[in-house]
Amino acid sequence: MRFKPFAFIINIAIPLAIGAIGAWFTAQSVKTWYVTLAKPSFNPPNWLFPPVWTTLFILMGISAYLVWLKRKEVEHFPRTIALYFIQLILNLMWSFLFFYAHELGIALIEVVALLTAIIINARVFYKIDKTAGLLFIPYILWVSFATLLTYSIFSLN
């Protein structure tokens, strides 16, 4: 298939935009509220989160682009894309619940739903394009870690 630069850029821009909105919810709390929380010993330094999330959002966009290229071959493409957007919205909601609303317990429940949606999304994408599905593996691993971190912070506070 031929490379479609405009579609590629759009597919990368969408998750990056979701990430930017999530960063907006997060930014103020990281400097104020978050520093007051008890955290586990394995809590990463704050500077690590932006590059990791930027990388993950770019990988998501590439994955979505690969699936978009095969959209005419996918019987239920609207449902496939709806699933992708559901996990993006759940990703954004975690930032809102945890950092903006300070709802640690609800954020914990929500991150489990997010992880489930990501795994389902990866499996669906994998059936369409193996590379697209495999590109979700770092995201699954990071959100698995984020789930453990959310649980630990919830338990400690």
Side-chain angles (χ1 to χ4, degrees):
M1 285 188 199
R2 232 180 56 159
F3 180 68
K4 311 277 188 190
F6 182 72
F8 182 79
I9 290 167
I10 294 297
N11 276 284
I12 299 287
I14 290 169
L16 284 174
I18 295 293
I21 295 167
W24 183 83
F25 286 133
T26 303
Q28 190 59 38
S29 283
V30 167
K31 298 173 191 166
T32 56
W33 171 78
Y34 187 68
V35 295
T36 68
L37 295 176
K39 294 174 211 65
S41 60
F42 58 86
N43 191 73
N46 290 344
W47 63 262
L48 184 64
F49 291 93
V52 168
W53 277 112
T54 300
T55 302
L56 294 173
F57 285 126
I58 290 169
L59 292 175
M60 274 184 251
I62 294 168
S63 181
Y65 170 75
L66 294 172
V67 169
W68 178 85
L69 286 175
K70 295 185 175 181
R71 68 194 176 284
K72 292 180 181 156
E73 303 165 28
V74 179
E75 186 177 339
H76 302 290
F77 184 73
R79 277 193 261 174
T80 300
I81 291 305
L83 175 60
Y84 175 69
F85 277 96
I86 287 168
Q87 69 81 19
L88 281 174
I89 291 165
L90 287 170
N91 184 303
L92 177 61
M93 288 306 302
W94 182 88
S95 295
F96 175 82
L97 291 168
F98 189 93
F99 284 105
Y100 191 79
H102 306 163
E103 292 289 346
L104 301 178
I106 297 171
L108 176 59
I109 294 166
E110 198 276 349
V111 77
V112 172
L114 169 60
L115 183 57
T116 303
I118 294 167
I119 292 167
I120 293 168
N121 193 159
R123 290 186 68 202
V124 169
F125 274 23
Y126 185 82
K127 289 177 184 177
I128 297 165
D129 183 285
K130 289 187 180 359
T131 301
L134 293 173
L135 285 171
F136 266 67
I137 291 173
Y139 186 28
I140 292 168
L141 294 173
W142 185 256
V143 174
S144 295
F145 175 71
T147 302
L148 175 62
L149 192 56
T150 302
Y151 171 76
S152 298
I153 292 171
F154 172 71
S155 297
L156 292 170
N157 293 278

